[in-house]
Amino acid sequence: NIVIFGHVYNIDDRIFECCKNNNIKTANWFIDSISNEFLNGKKKQDFLNLVNNVDKCFLTSSPELFKKNKIYKKLRFIPNPIDSSIDHLRNYETKDLEYDLFFAISHGQNRVILKKGKTDERENDFINLINKLNKYKIASFGLKNVEPIWGSNYFYHLSKSKIALNISRGKYQNLYSSDRISSLIGNGLLVFLEKKTNLQKMFKDKKEVIFFKNRDELIKKIIFYLKNDRQRIQIAKKGCQKYHKKFSNINVAKYILNELNLINVKINWFK
């Protein structure tokens, strides 16, 4: 009934032709930011070619950037889905957690280790944050020659943390977050998000997550919630429950099927 393509651009045109001739719906799912940083040169053309060949394209950032492009009518926003069989921790149930703050970045996703000679635009901000919060215990990975963490190691350190910082790469931030957002909120940490993401459309500030405008505000708010466990726990719990209920893999799958006219169900991410 349906074929979904991920980050793959070497699909023979005959595959798409075969799908159309046999009434098979096609879609692609793009989980990176759609800024020029990610979509440049040949990669952008590959992306546009793929979208032209499929029935719908599902993005984890707002498609408004393509409003004047003919492909716009095919683009749909989806949140990063959560799988409750994987993201099952409830950190808000534990007061005595080892780490005050957790964040993990990487500029070596396909290599598992940091790329030599490469940097991440977020590194200086994170290092300054560590210096200003030096009296707190911070679990940080992917900078200062500390390798990124993956799989069970990632969840091990996540399970011991109170607060998580979610700052994504790329200049285009409208509704965008890397897929770490689902594991951070969905495992019961109190998560901090940048206001420029416009994710206020999906989450309530100080009720489900914490939004910040700049680094000074971020530091003040982190310190406040580390000193006020009750508020931290309440907000983290509500955010976790919201994510599992509304942005589950099941709801995202239903939304995709609905947009492809395979089922009839109404799902709105912004109510």
Side-chain angles (χ1 to χ4, degrees), residues 229-243:
D229 255 355
R230 186 175 61 84
Q231 289 99 319
R232 173 184 65 81
I233 290 168
Q234 287 177 344
I235 298 169
K237 181 178 181 179
K238 288 180 181 178
C240 182
Q241 291 173 338
K242 165 82 165 280
Y243 214 109

Side-chain angles (χ1 to χ4, degrees), residues 138-164:
I138 299 175
S140 62
F141 303 91
L143 71 161
K144 296 178 72 174
N145 295 318
V146 177
E147 293 293 347
I149 51 175
W150 310 88
S152 59
N153 198 24
Y154 171 82
F155 284 99
Y156 172 80
H157 288 91
L158 195 71
S159 71
K160 296 177 174 292
S161 304
K162 298 176 183 178
I163 287 175

Side-chain angles (χ1 to χ4, degrees), residues 175-224:
L175 297 181
Y176 174 68
S177 169
S178 74
D179 59 1
R180 88 170 62 80
I181 190 174
S182 58
S183 62
L184 299 179
I185 299 178
N187 283 296
L189 288 78
L190 177 62
V191 176
F192 283 69
L193 303 170
E194 295 182 281
K195 287 183 179 178
K196 67 181 180 180
T197 60
N198 291 322
L199 288 169
Q200 300 92 324
K201 295 179 180 179
M202 298 167 62
F203 301 102
K204 295 178 181 178
D205 187 21
K206 299 180 183 178
K207 290 188 177 180
E208 296 164 344
V209 296
I210 304 297
F211 286 96
F212 64 93
K213 182 171 60 176
N214 54 49
R215 298 301 177 258
D216 289 337
E217 184 181 50
L218 170 63
I219 291 168
K220 289 178 182 177
K221 287 185 173 181
I222 288 174
I223 293 172
F224 173 83

Side-chain angles (χ1 to χ4, degrees), residues 27-259:
N28 72 300
W29 178 11
F30 192 80
I31 62 171
D32 281 336
S33 166
I34 52 177
S35 67
N36 287 330
E37 178 187 357
F38 291 95
L39 290 180
N40 55 55
K42 186 177 184 301
K43 189 173 181 180
K44 183 172 185 177
Q45 193 56 52
D46 286 341
F47 172 78
L48 294 174
N49 289 341
L50 181 56
V51 175
N52 281 323
N53 276 307
V54 297
D55 295 306
K56 289 287 190 299
C57 172
F58 298 93
L59 306 167
T60 55
S61 48
S62 171
E64 293 297 310
L65 200 63
F66 289 95
K67 201 162 188 177
K68 295 181 180 180
N69 193 299
K70 65 179 182 178
I71 68 166
Y72 180 68
K73 62 183 180 180
K74 291 187 176 185
L75 305 179
R76 299 290 186 274
F77 168 76
I78 55 171
N80 287 285
I82 189 168
D83 185 336
S84 60
S85 68
I86 298 171
D87 297 296
H88 56 82
L89 301 174
R90 297 294 179 266
N91 284 22
Y92 55 79
E93 293 179 349
T94 305
K95 285 188 177 182
D96 299 322
L97 292 163
E98 183 177 348
Y99 299 114
D100 296 306
L101 180 65
F102 172 92
F103 56 85
I105 61 174
S106 171
H107 51 73
Q109 281 94 332
N110 297 322
R111 306 185 184 199
V112 188
I113 60 173
L114 295 176
K115 298 176 184 177
K116 290 183 179 180
K118 298 287 184 179
T119 59
D120 187 304
E121 78 257 25
R122 299 166 291 179
E123 286 186 31
N124 286 337
D125 281 340
F126 283 131
I127 291 170
N128 289 335
L129 184 70
I130 291 171
N131 292 336
K132 290 183 179 181
L133 295 172
N134 57 21
K135 75 179 207 176
Y136 296 98
K137 191 164 184 183
I138 299 175
S140 62
F141 303 91
L143 71 161
K144 296 178 72 174
N145 295 318
V146 177
E147 293 293 347
I149 51 175
W150 310 88
S152 59
N153 198 24
Y154 171 82
F155 284 99
Y156 172 80
H157 288 91
L158 195 71
S159 71
K160 296 177 174 292
S161 304
K162 298 176 183 178
I163 287 175
L165 186 56
N166 189 61
I167 297 178
S168 300
R169 292 173 60 204
K171 292 181 180 179
Y172 186 68
Q173 296 285 312
N174 192 7
L175 297 181
Y176 174 68
S177 169
S178 74
D179 59 1
R180 88 170 62 80
I181 190 174
S182 58
S183 62
L184 299 179
I185 299 178
N187 283 296
L189 288 78
L190 177 62
V191 176
F192 283 69
L193 303 170
E194 295 182 281
K195 287 183 179 178
K196 67 181 180 180
T197 60
N198 291 322
L199 288 169
Q200 300 92 324
K201 295 179 180 179
M202 298 167 62
F203 301 102
K204 295 178 181 178
D205 187 21
K206 299 180 183 178
K207 290 188 177 180
E208 296 164 344
V209 296
I210 304 297
F211 286 96
F212 64 93
K213 182 171 60 176
N214 54 49
R215 298 301 177 258
D216 289 337
E217 184 181 50
L218 170 63
I219 291 168
K220 289 178 182 177
K221 287 185 173 181
I222 288 174
I223 293 172
F224 173 83
Y225 286 103
L226 286 175
K227 290 181 177 179
N228 292 273
D229 255 355
R230 186 175 61 84
Q231 289 99 319
R232 173 184 65 81
I233 290 168
Q234 287 177 344
I235 298 169
K237 181 178 181 179
K238 288 180 181 178
C240 182
Q241 291 173 338
K242 165 82 165 280
Y243 214 109
H244 279 273
K245 181 178 180 180
K246 190 156 188 178
F247 310 123
S248 68
N249 50 355
I250 294 172
N251 280 348
V252 172
K254 285 180 178 178
Y255 178 82
I256 290 172
L257 293 174
N258 178 76
E259 292 298 314

